Structures are given as structure tokens and as C-alpha cells.
Amino acid sequence: MPCQKYTTINFVIRDSASTNVLIKLFSDYVVNVFVIRSPQAKRNLNKATGDAFNASDAIKGRRDFPAMNNKWISLCDTFRTRRDDVNSTRSAPLQHWEFHNLME
């Protein structure tokens, strides 16, 4: 998973349908990006992932790859924080977060 945050002027991904599509696509993307060695192949993977995201019927408005990457990083941060909170207390129930099961 790329750890670098990009600056973007495109739409922020906030709706549930777009986020669900992003999680499904990026979970595969993360596996593939670490296997690929060639910079050109990584660019092609970025483009293919962005094109697949924007081609989905669930998406309202196009997003560029940096916006998708930033949203992915934010989702991972939220998931880690939630997991760490549960591990530290072991007794406090988790507040509902609709993306928890997908992020697992």
C-alpha cells in the first residue's frame, strides 16, 4: 500500500457506495502493487484501478487516483485505531462502523 499522501483537487470520497467499491478494489490493488517491480507496470495498475473505480455504476462523479489513495489511507488509519482501542480495553464494545467488516 502506498504510504505517500497525494494532494488532490478532485472530489472527496464520502458516500457509502463509493467507499464500498474503493475497499473492494484497493484490497486487490494492495496485494498486486507489492508484487510488481516495474514502475511502468505500477503506473498501469494505478490507471487500471482508477478506471475500474470510475467505471462502477455506484460512483457519483469521477475521482482521480490520488483521491482514492488518500481515502484508502484514511480508512486504514480508522480501522487500526478501532482495532487498537479494542485491544487496549478488551471490554469496551466497538461503535458501529459500516466499513469494519470489509476492512477486516
Side-chain angles (χ1 to χ4, degrees):
M1 167 177 46
C3 294
Q4 176 183 4
K5 288 197 178 187
Y6 298 95
T7 349
T8 182
I9 56 171
N10 214 336
F11 297 102
V12 176
I13 301 165
R14 291 202 174 132
D15 58 286
S16 293
S18 296
T19 302
N20 284 324
V21 171
L22 178 89
I23 292 169
K24 290 172 186 166
L25 284 173
F26 258 71
S27 58
D28 292 336
Y29 168 82
V30 168
V31 170
N32 292 327
V33 79
F34 285 117
V35 175
I36 296 172
R37 300 258 185 243
S38 159
Q40 182 60 45
K42 287 185 182 191
R43 283 191 291 275
N44 291 343
L45 179 61
N46 291 356
K47 182 174 179 352
T49 302
D51 290 347
F53 178 83
N54 287 313
S56 172
D57 292 336
I59 307 306
K60 298 176 183 123
R62 294 185 52 84
R63 274 61 169 219
D64 59 4
F65 186 82
M68 292 184 288
N69 190 57
N70 285 343
K71 180 63 177 183
W72 176 254
I73 290 169
S74 174
L75 287 166
C76 289
D77 289 346
T78 300
F79 181 76
R80 265 189 241 102
T81 300
R82 291 170 53 81
R83 186 188 59 211
D84 292 347
D85 288 347
V86 167
N87 287 342
S88 67
T89 62
R90 298 243 183 240
S91 62
L94 274 176
Q95 295 294 323
H96 175 73
W97 184 49
E98 65 181 299
F99 307 116
H100 185 87
N101 290 338
L102 282 174
M103 291 298 292
E104 267 186 327

